[in-house]
Amino acid sequence: MSVRTPDPNSGWLSDSELAEIRQRLPLLYVEAVPVRVDGLGQVVEVGVLLRVGSSGTIARTLVSGRVMYGETLRDALFRHLEKDLGPMAFPQLPASPVPFQVAEYFPLPGASAYYDSRQHAVALAYVVPVTGTCEPRQDALELTWMTPEEAASPAVGEEMEGGRGGLLRAALASVGRLP
């Protein structure tokens, strides 16, 4: 009987490896703002997740996750959209995935508009239309669809961790929907 060795290029890290790397290097993430569009391509609804945050509190957030070693940005976006919204969300990824913003998260509050107590991270942020049925999975408790005006409100921004309320407003501005 042969012993199977793990794939050294799997892209996955153990918890201890991830903790050590988070203390030494910035990590690359993708973040996605799921939207519904009308027949003219105008954003009419914005999806915001509700989940237990890194501090243990319930907070609103965006689709987000790490890019694995050897993984394309397109594949990472698709994987995290499917993980958080379910396999029937049918995200419409652009032919050339260009982020609307690069968000740099620091472990020290005030170093930038974005904060993550665990690490220094760089996130490429995208607005992604979805056409299917969204059923939150993994650690997402629910997905709330809001009008762009509701999503841009200070109340929603205050419910979001790490400055993601500002990132959501930037997403809306990038598609011409900031009220």
Side-chain angles (χ1 to χ4, degrees):
M1 179 166 121
S2 68
V3 175
R4 204 170 155 234
T5 58
D7 177 2
N9 297 315
S10 71
W12 294 106
L13 300 170
S14 70
D15 289 343
S16 62
E17 289 171 323
L18 179 59
E20 184 177 329
I21 288 170
R22 280 181 166 155
Q23 296 303 310
R24 296 176 182 258
L25 300 169
L27 294 176
L28 181 61
Y29 279 71
V30 290
E31 294 198 271
V33 178
V35 297
R36 302 251 190 226
V37 298
D38 64 15
L40 296 174
Q42 296 293 310
V43 172
V44 294
E45 289 185 306
V46 179
V48 180
L49 293 167
L50 185 68
R51 71 171 49 152
V52 177
S54 58
S55 63
T57 59
I58 294 179
R60 298 230 175 253
T61 193
L62 306 173
V63 172
S64 180
R66 281 182 290 142
V67 178
M68 294 190 311
Y69 181 79
E71 183 178 43
T72 67
L73 294 174
R74 175 184 298 287
D75 288 343
L77 267 172
F78 188 83
R79 179 171 57 84
H80 288 293
L81 284 158
E82 184 176 77
K83 174 182 68 85
D84 285 347
L85 304 180
M88 303 304 287
F90 301 131
Q92 305 299 299
L93 298 177
S96 176
V98 176
F100 69 85
Q101 185 166 331
V102 176
E104 191 170 15
Y105 290 85
F106 284 93
L108 303 170
S112 83
Y114 307 106
Y115 170 72
D116 186 332
S117 63
R118 305 167 299 164
Q119 65 193 339
H120 178 188
V122 176
L124 305 178
Y126 301 86
V127 174
V128 180
V130 295
T131 60
T133 303
C134 296
E135 297 286 334
R137 300 176 359 161
Q138 300 290 329
D139 60 347
L141 303 173
E142 76 175 32
L143 174 69
T144 304
W145 290 103
M146 304 176 185
T147 67
E149 295 77 21
E150 291 168 331
S153 73
V156 170
E158 289 171 10
E159 294 177 352
M160 300 184 87
E161 283 188 324
R164 284 188 176 87
L167 192 60
L168 179 56
R169 290 180 56 83
L172 292 168
S174 77
V175 294
R177 294 301 308 212
L178 189 62

